[in-house]
Structures are given as structure tokens and as C-alpha cells.
Amino acid sequence: MDGFLALYIFMLAAFTGYEIIARVPVILHTPLMSGSNFVHGIVLIGAMIALGHASTPFEITIGFIGVLLGAGNAAGGYVVTERMLEMFKSSKPGAGKGHK
Amino acid sequence: MAWLPILIKACYFLAAVLFILGLKRMSSPRTARGGIVWAGVGMVFAVLATFFLPDMHNLGLIIAAVVLGVSVAWWTGKRVAMTAMPQMVALYNGMGGGAAAAIGAVELIGFVRNWALLHPPGVPDTAPLRPESWAINALPPLPGVTMLTPTELGLGVLGALIGAVSFSGSMIAFAKLQGWLDKRFVFPGQRVVNMVLLAATVVVGILLVVGHASLPLIALFFALALLFGLMMTLPIGGADMPVVISLYNAFTGLAVGFEGFVLGNEAMIIAGMVVGAAGTLLTQLMAKAMNRSIGNVLFGSFGAAAGSDAHVIDGAQKPIDASDAAVMMAYAERVVIVPGYGMAVAQAQHKVWEFAQLLLKRGVKVKFAIHPVAGRMPGHMNVLLAEAGVPYDLIADMDDINPEFPATDVALVIGANDVVNPLARTDPASPIYGMPILDVGKAGQVIVIKRGKGTGFAGIENALFYADNTRMLYGDGQAAAGQLVTELKALDD
């Protein structure tokens, strides 16, 4: 990949990440950290590519471990984030229900 | 078949868009739940598309690893208690870092193998393994053998370094939060040793890039990087773990972005960099809440200062029993409840909310005050209180509640320690000096629910416990809250 094109992508993606988190309320910090933890689970596809191109048994072993770890990152990150966010289900902002 | 590469690229593009939109939605309470689903859909598209990339071998192994990894992580993630969420984030984050390091390792090993292919033994090899001798066709090309460019090799090594550090560091963070590693590992000259270790890792990394790549050197590189992550995290106290986990989260993001560049995969680059930047900002926010810099957390004197803590506090802790405490709060006008990690450990949030509801029924004005770094992650307490069903409008931030403490009759501290320690404001020698705290001492009465007389998580004496208006209610958080509920109900009969 062209180095400068990648540099532009790096920069724009970094700004995007910065902007997204700049206005997040404290209450969502932990779920958001968990959510971003899930998003870098995309490393799974990189590990799949590495294993897919590996040819010696040694490379295959390391690639296999990589895919295993990446799959754990993605699946675990998703489940944990979903469980955290589930708690925000009933409590609409404005607290219409309030306390009894 | 010209449409297949385009379709794959389109899937990756869609995944990148869904990740960004998903994270965006996750940053607002109203849309947060949908956000993770959007990101999840993006992930499924990206993974499915990857199976159809050209020249993919070992498909059976890939499927086996994906199925195994997903099912184990899914199962543990579903089963773990809400209180254990911080360490699960650390664990899964470490796995991501490990995966990024593995990608780097496979690429490096492949690089060495290709190099050997291009230089069969017997052929005089005058050209050293240097960047300038690649890519410019100085060597006869072999079909199916593509060498990494110098930039790709450099970023691949950097990503592998960051990923490996994030892997071993996150595993230590996980072990500490899980309670498997209670002791801080501190020895004289530790900072120097760690610096030397980091320098050695970087030097070996540079050697790999400038043309000395060989299997033993690659092994040495990963051993050093993993060891550095270990050594860097071991001396850090549990109170600083949220900042460290957040930092490693950002690290893994960066590592993924760099390895994405090596593989020429835009989805990985974008997702990795977005997380890298967001994680860095989140880490800064957390460190700021503790009035410390990230450098101070990582290389600070926290361990040393806590070890030499010679501060002696005059006076004694004054106990109170549950019935007196219940009466005191039942007839108060304003009560502020300050939860901390102890509440999470004791799983006391439901009992505490039950108690608060009884107080509310009696007409007592009850609020929950949450310190930005209470628990082990920002928002940790909010999540637990939300789980127990506490409405948002009863939960107050530190800045909103601090002016209200002088008008508060009773402050009930449950399982919080360092975030209410007045020494943070008065004692420059204290390791937590300068950290903003909740001003519970200004309330008329303070009741502290605490398991025993020991120091808190950061190992620092708390002057609040010895104050004249403080009473200690010893016991496990859940049991103590249960007693309060019983006593309060008895009052009504």
C-alpha cells in the first residue's frame, strides 16, 4: 500500500476516534472502552489472512494461535459490551419512570 | 470473477463504516445498545469476506480456530459476573494484542523464509539484507514470492512490539484484578531495568528492520517485548489499573492498525487507528480525573511512596452498629451514598438500592455520589447501579455533589476508600496528593461500611476513618447493607 495514502488514512481515522469519544458522558466510559475493545477485534481477519498465507508448520502454529486469540477478542468483546449496554435498556434519558 | 475482489473490498468498507457509526452510537445512552449491534454486523461482514480472499490456504484450520476461539470467549463472557467486567475487558484486549503480535511474527518469519528463497545457498550473496536491496528488483523475482517493503517491515515490527507489550501487560492486569497477583512487584532500580529492557527491545527491533532478520533474533525480539510488558505492569498498583487497561486498549488498536498496513487491509487500519486515538483520549481523561499524568502512572513513584508511607494518623476508628446507623439515616433529611469498589466486590448494589428505596419512602432525600475513578474503571459504579435499577437522576458526579456535602446530614461510604481520603488534599507526602476527592468529611455524619481496619486498595491510610464525625460499620458490604435494610424495616413496624 502507498505509504502516504496510508498516512492520510491513519490521520483521518485518528481524528475520527478522537471526535467520537470527546463528547461521551462518564456513565458510558466503561461500555465504550469495552466497545472499542470489540472493534479492534478486527485483528481476527488479519490473523486469518496470516494463517491463510502461512506455509511452514511453525508459521501455521503461530497463525493458528493468532486466529484463536483474535476470535476471542472479537467474541468476548462483543458479549461483554452487549451485557453492559443491556442495562441501559429500560432507563430512558429523562427518567420517565422515575422511582416508585 | 472480477466482481469478487470488489465485493470483498466493499465488505471491508462497509465494516469500517459500521464500526465508526457503532462507536458513535455507543457514546450516547439512548443509542448505545444499537451501537454494539451495528459494529457486530460490520465484524461479521469483514470475517465472511476474508474467507473469499484469493490464495487463502489452511481454511479448515482457520474455521477450527475461529469456532474454538469464539465459543470459548462467548461462553466465558456470558457467564462472568458483572463485577468482573473490568478484568474481562483486560483479558480480551490482551488477546487482541497477542493476535496482532502473532500476525507480526508470521510476517517476519515469512520474510526470512522468502529471503532464503531469493538467496539459495551456493549463490554468492554479496548484497546484505538491507532495505535498499529489496523492491528495486535487484534480485531475480520468484513467482509467488513478494518481499515486504521497508515501510511494511518497519510498521510490522512496531505493531508486533506494541501488540506483544499489550498482550503480556493486559494478562498481568487481568491477574491483578482477578486477585491472583496481590502483591506489587517492586525492587530498587526497577525503573532503570525497565528502561534498559525497552531500549534492548527497540534495538533488536531496529536490527530486524535494517537487515539482520533471522529466526533467533525474531524469537529474542518477542521474548524481550513480552518481558517488558510484564515488567512494566507488575509494579503498578491496583488503583491505577483502569488507566493501564485503557492504555493497553489504545495500544492494541495501534498494533492492529500497523499490522493492517502490512497486510494492506484498510478495515484493520481504520478500526485500529480509531480505537488507538479514542483509547488514548479515554486514558487521558482517566488520568486527569486522578490528577496524574500517564507517565506518572506508568513510571511514577506510586509503589515507592506507598512503601515508605510513614504517615501516622492520630486518633482511633470509632465503630457503630447497624441499628444506630439505620436510625441515624432514617431520621436524616439528606443522605448521600458513596459507593466504591468494595460494593462491587461484595455484590452489594442491589441491597444498597433496596436500602435507599426504603429511605426514599420515608421522605429522606437520597443521592448517589460517584467519583470519576471509583471502582476500577470510569463508569464502573454507574454500570453496577444501573444494573440494580437506580435511576439516572439520583446519581451525581463529583463536581455536582461536592458543594452539597455541607448540607448533607449523613454520608454513607460503602466500599470506597482512596476517593474519599482527605489526605489527597492535605498531605503533600501522600502518593494520592492532588487527586480530587469527594468531600464526604463535610457532611454532618459519615458512616463508613468497611470489611476491616486495613488500608485501601492503594495501600494508603485514610484520615477520614479517624475523623471525629466518622463512624465505622465493619462488615462485608452486602451483609452490612442487608442489616441496614432489616433495621430500617424494623423501625416501621
Side-chain angles (χ1 to χ4, degrees):
Chain A
M1 180 181 285
D2 178 40
F4 267 100
L5 186 62
L7 201 60
Y8 279 109
I9 300 181
F10 279 149
M11 178 201 66
L12 291 174
F15 272 112
T16 309
Y18 198 86
E19 277 303 307
I20 284 173
I21 217 164
R23 277 158 289 162
V24 64
V26 176
I27 187 168
L28 281 173
H29 274 179
T30 297
L32 192 72
M33 181 201 281
S34 181
S36 58
N37 179 39
F38 165 69
V39 167
H40 69 52
I42 189 74
V43 71
L44 169 60
I45 68 170
M48 288 167 66
I49 296 171
L51 177 54
H53 293 168
S55 47
T56 65
F58 187 43
E59 288 172 45
I60 290 175
T61 310
I62 295 176
F64 187 82
I65 295 171
V67 176
L68 210 59
L69 291 173
N73 182 187
Y78 185 87
V79 172
V80 165
T81 311
E82 207 211 6
R83 282 185 58 194
M84 281 187 201
L85 290 173
E86 219 160 81
M87 291 165 202
F88 295 88
K89 174 171 49 181
S90 52
S91 345
K92 293 270 184 300
K97 282 198 316 178
H99 45 83
K100 287 155 235 147
Chain B
M1 285 298 277
W3 52 270
L4 191 59
I6 297 177
L7 192 64
I8 293 172
K9 288 267 176 196
C11 280
Y12 285 153
F13 180 76
L14 184 67
V17 171
L18 286 174
F19 286 155
I20 292 173
L21 289 178
L23 279 175
K24 173 91 188 127
R25 294 178 80 85
M26 268 185 254
S27 58
S28 158
R30 205 173 317 182
T31 52
R33 288 190 78 224
I36 184 66
V37 178
W38 285 44
V41 170
M43 188 69 77
V44 170
F45 269 106
V47 170
L48 287 182
T50 305
F51 279 108
F52 295 97
L53 281 173
D55 297 327
M56 288 287 278
H57 306 287
N58 309 320
L59 279 177
L61 279 176
I62 294 177
I63 293 173
V66 169
V67 169
L68 190 62
V70 166
S71 34
V72 169
W74 196 274
W75 188 69
T76 49
K78 281 277 185 210
R79 276 184 76 247
V80 74
M82 280 314 289
T83 41
M85 286 296 159
Q87 54 262 49
M88 293 316 279
V89 173
L91 179 68
Y92 297 138
N93 175 56
M95 294 172 90
I103 296 171
V106 172
E107 291 296 324
L108 273 170
I109 296 166
F111 173 76
V112 172
R113 178 166 48 82
N114 285 345
W115 181 250
L117 278 177
L118 292 170
H119 293 81
V123 175
D125 177 14
T126 45
L129 183 49
R130 280 190 196 291
E132 60 263 32
S133 61
W134 323 327
I136 46 173
N137 297 328
L139 299 159
L142 275 175
V145 176
T146 44
M147 293 299 277
L148 295 174
T149 66
T151 323
E152 284 169 352
L153 190 63
L155 283 183
V157 167
L158 186 60
L161 168 63
I162 299 173
V165 169
S166 172
F167 172 72
S168 59
S170 296
M171 290 304 152
I172 296 296
F174 168 76
K176 285 202 170 199
L177 291 182
Q178 191 77 4
W180 293 349
L181 268 179
D182 281 342
K183 287 210 139 187
R184 264 205 302 267
F185 175 74
V186 191
F187 59 86
Q190 191 163 24
R191 213 183 305 184
V192 178
V193 171
N194 284 1
M195 280 301 154
V196 169
L197 201 53
L198 176 63
T201 317
V202 171
V203 167
V204 174
I206 291 172
L207 286 179
L208 287 179
V209 180
V210 297
H212 301 277
S214 65
L215 286 184
L217 202 64
I218 293 172
L220 178 67
F221 171 70
F222 279 101
L224 284 172
L226 290 172
L227 186 63
F228 175 69
L230 214 76
M231 297 290 285
M232 180 170 133
T233 321
L234 276 172
I236 299 173
D240 283 333
M241 273 310 147
V243 181
V244 175
I245 294 174
S246 174
L247 186 70
Y248 287 146
N249 189 42
F251 271 18
T252 306
L254 284 179
V256 171
F258 291 152
E259 297 304 336
F261 176 80
V262 178
L263 298 171
N265 188 302
E266 294 86 351
M268 279 175 76
I269 298 181
I270 291 173
M273 289 315 285
V274 165
V275 172
T280 306
L281 179 59
L282 189 58
T283 311
Q284 280 170 348
L285 291 176
M286 284 188 210
K288 211 165 110 192
M290 299 164 78
N291 200 23
R292 313 186 50 202
S293 70
I294 296 171
N296 193 320
V297 168
L298 293 180
F299 310 109
S301 52
F302 213 86
S308 64
D309 188 12
H311 195 90
V312 180
I313 299 166
D314 297 328
Q317 300 186 2
K318 294 163 280 291
I320 190 172
D321 59 31
S323 59
D324 288 346
V327 170
M328 197 186 279
M329 284 182 275
Y331 294 101
E333 201 175 318
R334 286 170 194 277
V335 171
V336 174
I337 300 175
V338 180
Y341 190 69
M343 182 187 82
V345 171
Q347 296 272 11
Q349 60 270 27
H350 296 279
K351 277 284 169 217
V352 169
W353 173 228
E354 191 185 344
F355 176 68
Q357 280 173 306
L358 287 171
L359 286 178
L360 285 165
K361 220 183 280 174
R362 298 183 67 95
V364 182
K365 293 193 178 76
V366 179
K367 273 191 184 172
F368 289 84
I370 297 190
H371 189 276
V373 295
R376 295 195 186 167
M377 281 192 179
H380 191 191
M381 290 299 120
N382 303 71
V383 168
L384 290 179
L385 291 178
E387 187 202 11
V390 180
Y392 289 155
D393 51 351
L394 292 189
I395 301 176
D397 286 344
M398 180 174 66
D399 294 338
D400 296 330
I401 200 78
N402 265 348
E404 292 186 25
F405 275 113
T408 299
D409 300 304
V410 181
L412 175 66
V413 177
I414 167 158
N417 191 343
D418 298 322
V419 297
V420 294
N421 192 344
L423 288 183
R425 206 162 328 100
T426 57
D427 179 12
S430 174
I432 56 167
Y433 181 70
M435 182 174 92
I437 59 157
L438 287 162
D439 280 331
V440 288
K442 292 191 178 153
Q445 276 288 342
V446 183
I447 297 169
V448 178
I449 297 179
K450 199 169 174 303
R451 230 175 340 184
K453 295 191 181 190
T455 53
F457 200 51
I460 305 157
E461 261 317 334
N462 192 336
L464 176 75
F465 301 163
Y466 299 89
D468 288 335
N469 59 342
T470 302
R471 296 291 177 273
M472 307 297 290
L473 179 55
Y474 294 113
D476 169 76
Q478 186 165 4
Q483 285 170 354
L484 288 176
V485 168
T486 318
E487 295 294 341
L488 208 53
K489 280 183 177 156
L491 280 180
D492 292 330
D493 291 339

